[in-house]
């Protein structure tokens, strides 16, 4: 699976802070505004979109004493999902899957989570968190006390997207199944192959995501509260279910390929039967016609009165015999 | 595997309460009647059929302080079987498999189990629990003290259904095996494919069911009594056995496909042999006949007296030679 | 694998008791005789053959307080091998494999083991324990103090039978291998398929048997003495070895099928070559002969003196050229 | 995967020592210079290149009491990557993968790590550590206090090389995919096969490397400091990711082979259709032409005025009929 | 894999005893000599070659109180490698693999190890331990204090033989690879199949050997000293490596079979193309020639002056057209 197109990577800083009573969202110019605001009565979320401006990351890292390897991982677009535990923070890498123009792309999103704040790093604004921001603004249900609830909401929306992707693949698979069983033609090969690649690509995201969510929901990190664990377990259940679906789809795609191969073999067999029936009926007849087309001087049959009708009778007998022979073999 | 048809989802509340001496079953209008009846000398079972009326669920959840995620899971028809442990209750999701018109459907059934009561949530009345209700009414053997015995009875009936489903698939497989070995034709491909899909579908229910039952029978939850554990282990053994059968059937189906593919290859080989035998015998003969059908002025053979009989003798020699050649090759 | 034929299930009770000095074996009429004989200086073995008379089981269960699920399992002929641990007894289900008329059948044998007695339940007398009874009667080597030694002897004889079964399958496989490599014909497909089914069937017995024996030899149940553990580990080693053999045989059978498929493809290729060689040699020649069989008035070649010999020379050149062409391609 | 060419194995000893302030690198003649220099204020690294002079190893082993098996392993070029823990040292074997002339080679590198010094053993100078030496000389970022930081840097550069190798294989795979889907020809078989061998070869290096790095990053050996563990975990994550990629590539290569096989079957089917269409159209027509080429004296049709046009009309009807027949079958 | 030929099984007793200073080796007549010599200042090794004389075993067992099951295992030539722990001894079964006349045989060797003595049981003298005896006699390096060092030396020589066997198989595989890619012919099928059987056979020895050596090197048995553990781990590493190689070879063999199958399909496709090209070119031409060979009285073309040249022009046009058609299809 390719990464999303990253032509435009200008850095944008969206700073959201909220508590039960208030919700403030603004685009800030420099990361300082976020760093300096230490009001712990809010959950503070800095959404860093576009990572071309490395200075922003360095400023954050300097301020919050983030391990230099983390910066490297945030900037490495091929980083697999994972969780790393630091002294007073968690570093989480997740992958979002996007369906665009019938192609799947992956989008890498990193999170630094502290007790009272969360920083998300995205390479591009694909709109994945717009819904969350809307819900935070509109209602207060999501506006809970700590950053782990926010992390849950963000990961949940990412994992929910997987279901939509799998449903799309499922639909394509159903179409292919109909085609394969009813009217298999060559294009199926390529379609099944590409579907299998998509499934392999999605699986490569699912497995490390599963491990990551599992770590969050199992090992009780200080940052993740006891009551939030249930929520993360719920995400974990979802991923497990998507992995099951993925596994099932891959098996079905493999079965379909087998069926297709068998149906090609069947078709070749059919073609051969038609050729064989025509050939074996007419080849002996043509030989006989050839015999009586010879110009030997002494060929008594040529002068018999009923030779020609006899020839036809013989031909018809041979044809009937051959047809019965093929019918007995089940070829007609 | 598709879900059962859910066109009619009007909510019905069947309230059953019993102890060793008494058995009362009635349809109640509002969930209040169940909530307010707190007589702990009975095992109380509320069977909620049809989940269109979400208010019923919300009332129950409010009253019994059920986690909001549980409601979501109950209403999500694609929830995989699982067990969740809450403070004074267990939440269990199970899947029943139904065979209707030669097609398998799955029916999702959720349970909330408390020490003295059990609430089951079903999307539709498929009659799965009718037998249990009858046995509860008729005899007292099932009317044991606690809700965990009832849970056992309900899960047991669900798992027993799997055996029936597997037996039906087993019979179809035996028929297919006979067809494949004796008279393989094209329809086998589709039949084996659909059987494999059914087996994959059933397996996707079996594995999470296995994990669920395993959790019940292993971790001694407060709600599950020591003596009931034996019974749940029995269900667990049954599921393991069904999983074995499923695995075996899938292997057999795969073997059958291999056999079928080989038998197509064999058939094509047979067809080719017939074509080759006829062609290679008559093609040279036709050539010779063609030669003596040429109109060259100077062709001495044409005027020989025994040319024509010689032609036939030559033809017969060639035919005999070719037949022996093919017999030696084992093609005839 | 089918169960053994169970047409005749009349119940027979064989009561054997022995210690180092004495050996008594008798057929008893009612189970009471066994129940009432509580002389602990003997190892007492009740061999219940034929399970049609459920009352016998109920009497035993009542007397020895056996869990009702155990009775159900004993009577359920499709019970997989397993071990269950009860307060002062072990319940063990084993499967014997019988080869009859080239077909494998399974025979289910259940055991209830107590410190000083053992009850075996069999559906039919297949003679599996005759050898043990003989050895108990003849020598004193087997007549050890406790029922666990007897259980070892009985399970050992069952597992030893597996080796004989695998040897039979191994012989068939060797025959098939020779056939496949030297003279593959269609019947191989069916034979390999049936062999694979047999191997799958045997494996389905082996795995739960392995788990069962493993439980006995690992967890030190009170009933199994420390010194007997070595013996059970020995049985366990045997089963592991048989599982290895089974796995190996299945791989070999799969390889054989691949080889067979390839050899069919090879044969088809050979047939095609013969057809192609004959056709491509004679088709152009026949065309030329056809040309000079045309009746055009103005065809100068027809009147040339050396036309006919030239025709033959041309034909021979074409034939030689084609043969060299095919030789170069490696088809001849 | 073959080992790198080892024709020239003359032994060279490169001795590097550094601390935050100083960096000294020199080629030394005898190993004594290294052994005798015990200044612990430096990290001391002896890079032994070329292992033909066994005396060097023996001297080092004698001096530092290295286990004789280690020497054996260092000299055994087919040693798999591994980690061994000795009293005050760690012995690590790693494999570098080199791409040369489109072929992959492996280079075995062994390390003996002590608190304050590191000895690396290489069979040949492939330049793998040149970059590290440059960075050590230029900047001070790498010049940390202990040998474990150096080990990290050396292993990191080795593992980073794997990504480059996998990228190269990935590119080849993409090219092959295009070829397979668009214009499959015979050379694909060999290319896919060789690619699969490469992937198997790389995997055989990756798995033991994974275990080795895992041991370093898990079991807190005295020599590996707490803060370095993070770095080794980072390497571990990289290897896991490369293993994922390798696994994925192998699956894709297998799928490609399946697709190729199916496309060959398809092509054969196409060829057969062309043959069958031509043959079945013209074979009956040729027969009819043959009939009227017969020389029977009494053949009334020969003298009919419209016989010849009728023949053509009949021929055209047959051709049209056959074409419609093939169109209906979907062969044209 | 078959067992080595065991026609000659006469029993021979080779008694070796040594310490750092002395080495004594003699053939003894009766086992008593060994039993009675209890001088613990030597390591004493009794090498029992040929097991036909069961009395020898019984004597040893009686003297050293060996479990009767061990005798049974020693005599059972199909015993899989294993380790059993007894009170003051270890019982180890190993398998040596021998390459003779291009066929692999296995040789079973059992060991009873005590603190100060080792008894080895072999069915036949295949020379496997000659090298060890020579090294014991010549130098003192091997003459260490305890029997576990001797056991290491004996097992090491057995495992080293596996490398030689795998190298031989690797060479055969390389030859087959060249054949498969360059000039695949039928014999490859059988060769690959037999190679796969060999690899399966070797693997069946490797896995239990791995478990056996692992037990020795992990669980610190009293008899195995701490410092010897390193040596056994070294053997363990070797076996792991051989298992990797075996796994790799089996994958390569499977890939080769796939390639072969595809190349057969390719060849059939080529043959079909040749047939189709010739047939489709000449079949229509032959028809036309047939048409003008008809004897209809009224066929105007026959009398046209340029009919015959026109026929040839038409033929050439058709041929050119067909060749371009096939070229466009890529068949020529």
């Amino acid at each position: 699976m390719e990464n999303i197109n990253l032509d435009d990577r200008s850095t944008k800083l969206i700073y959201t802070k909220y508590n039960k009573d208030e919700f403030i969202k603004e685009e800030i110019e420099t990361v300082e505004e976020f760093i300096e605001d230490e009001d712990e009565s809010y959950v503070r979320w800095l959404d860093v979109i576009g990572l071309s401006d490395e200075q922003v990351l360095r400023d954050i890292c300097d301020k919050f004493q983030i391990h230099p390897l983390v910066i490297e991982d945030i900037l490495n677009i091929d980083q697999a999902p994972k969780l790393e535990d630091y002294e007073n923070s968690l570093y989480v890498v997740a992958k979002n899957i996007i369906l665009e123009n019938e192609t799947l792309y992956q989008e890498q999103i990193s999170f630094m989570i502290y007790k009272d704040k969360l920083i998300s790093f995205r390479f591009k604004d694909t709109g994945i968190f717009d819904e969350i921001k809307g819900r935070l603004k509109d209602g207060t249900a999501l506006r809970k006390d700590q950053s782990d609830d926010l992390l849950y909401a963000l990961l949940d929306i990412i994992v929910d997207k997987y279901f939509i992707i799998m449903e799309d693949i499922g639909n394509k698979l159903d179409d292919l199944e109909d085609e394969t069983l009813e009217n298999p033609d060559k294009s199926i090969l390529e379609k099944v192959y590409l579907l299998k690649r998509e499934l392999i690509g999605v699986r490569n995201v699912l497995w490390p995501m599963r491990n990551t969510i599992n770590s969050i929901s199992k090992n009780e990190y200080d940052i993740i509260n006891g009551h939030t664990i249930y929520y993360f377990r719920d995400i974990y259940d979802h991923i497990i279910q998507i992995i099951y679906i993925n596994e099932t789809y891959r098996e079905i795609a493999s079965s379909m390929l087998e069926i297709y191969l068998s149906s090609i073999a069947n078709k070749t067999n059919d073609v051969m039967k038609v050729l064989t029936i025509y050939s074996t009926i007419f080849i002996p007849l043509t030989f006989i016609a050839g015999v009586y087309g010879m110009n030997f001087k002494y060929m008594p049959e040529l002068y018999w009165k009923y030779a020609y009708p006899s020839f036809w009778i013989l031909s018809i007998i041979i044809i009937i015999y051959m047809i019965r022979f093929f019918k007995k073999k089940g070829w007609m």
Side-chain angles (χ1 to χ4, degrees), chain A residues 33-167:
Chain A
E33 294 175 49
F34 172 71
I35 291 170
E36 281 156 18
D37 180 359
E38 299 223 344
D39 186 346
E40 297 196 1
S41 65
Y42 294 91
V43 172
R44 286 166 298 132
W45 169 21
L46 180 67
D47 190 12
V48 182
I49 302 169
L51 303 178
S52 56
D53 186 352
E54 288 193 19
Q55 192 53 44
V56 170
L57 270 77
R58 303 216 179 280
D59 287 352
I60 295 170
C61 290
D62 283 355
K63 174 68 192 165
F64 299 113
Q65 286 151 337
I66 294 173
H67 200 284
L69 278 173
V70 168
I71 270 212
E72 222 176 77
D73 286 350
I74 288 174
L75 288 172
N76 170 12
I77 198 162
D78 289 321
Q79 181 56 48
K82 68 171 174 179
L83 173 127
E84 270 172 16
D85 178 23
Y86 291 94
E87 216 168 310
N88 60 348
S89 63
L90 282 179
Y91 169 57
V92 172
V93 185
K95 292 269 183 184
N96 177 32
I97 303 178
I98 294 167
L99 177 68
E100 228 175 72
N101 305 324
E102 293 298 292
T103 314
L104 296 183
Y105 297 97
Q106 59 185 17
E107 177 194 3
Q108 179 171 318
I109 304 176
S110 308
F111 302 97
M112 284 298 310
I113 306 103
Y114 297 84
K115 210 73 189 161
D116 59 341
K117 60 183 166 289
L118 184 153
I119 315 173
S120 56
F121 302 91
R122 303 192 271 158
F123 282 88
K124 193 185 176 179
D125 192 358
T126 60
I128 172 83
F129 292 154
D130 292 357
E131 191 194 328
I132 297 291
K133 286 174 185 166
R135 277 162 58 196
L136 278 174
K137 189 181 165 195
D138 294 346
T140 57
L142 259 180
R143 287 193 217 151
K144 286 183 189 156
D145 282 349
Q146 280 195 327
S147 62
D148 58 350
D149 295 294
L150 180 57
L151 179 67
Y152 159 73
L154 297 176
L155 290 177
D156 192 45
I157 208 102
I158 289 172
V159 170
D160 273 0
K161 278 283 187 79
Y162 298 164
F163 276 106
I164 297 169
I165 298 298
M166 290 315 289
E167 211 182 297

Side-chain angles (χ1 to χ4, degrees), chain A residues 197-325:
Chain A
R197 280 210 73 160
E198 280 190 0
L199 288 165
I200 292 171
V202 172
R203 191 198 51 183
N204 283 2
V205 169
L206 290 176
W207 275 99
M209 276 300 281
R210 175 192 164 280
N211 294 339
T212 305
I213 306 284
N214 195 25
S215 305
I216 302 180
S217 64
K218 247 193 197 163
N219 311 306
E220 306 202 18
Y221 297 113
D222 284 352
I223 286 170
I224 310 296
N225 292 299
H227 76 274
T228 334
I229 292 290
Y230 281 117
Y231 290 93
F232 284 105
R233 266 187 211 161
D234 202 58
I235 301 187
Y236 180 73
D237 285 347
H238 288 169
I239 293 198
I240 291 293
Q241 213 177 326
I242 297 166
I243 287 175
Y244 264 119
I245 297 173
N246 188 296
E247 221 47 42
T248 303
Y249 282 180
R250 286 176 56 225
E251 273 189 57
I252 291 172
S254 290
S255 292
M256 242 151 63
L257 217 56
E258 280 179 6
I259 297 299
Y260 177 72
L261 195 57
S262 294
S263 80
I264 292 296
N266 254 326
K267 277 182 157 181
T268 300
N269 188 274
D270 283 352
V271 172
M272 292 308 306
K273 276 183 195 160
V274 168
L275 175 62
T276 301
I277 289 167
Y278 273 81
S279 298
T280 49
I281 287 177
F282 285 105
I283 280 176
L285 296 183
T286 303
F287 165 66
I288 297 171
V291 167
Y292 294 107
M294 292 193 299
N295 297 318
F296 289 124
K297 208 171 162 192
Y298 306 103
M299 281 182 71
E301 295 98 319
L302 295 184
Y303 307 100
W304 289 352
K305 199 162 183 185
Y306 300 109
Y308 182 55
S310 306
F311 166 79
W312 276 116
I313 289 163
L314 179 65
S315 297
I316 288 160
I317 289 170
I318 288 175
I319 290 171
I320 290 170
Y321 172 80
M322 292 306 291
I323 286 172
R324 287 179 61 179
F325 173 73

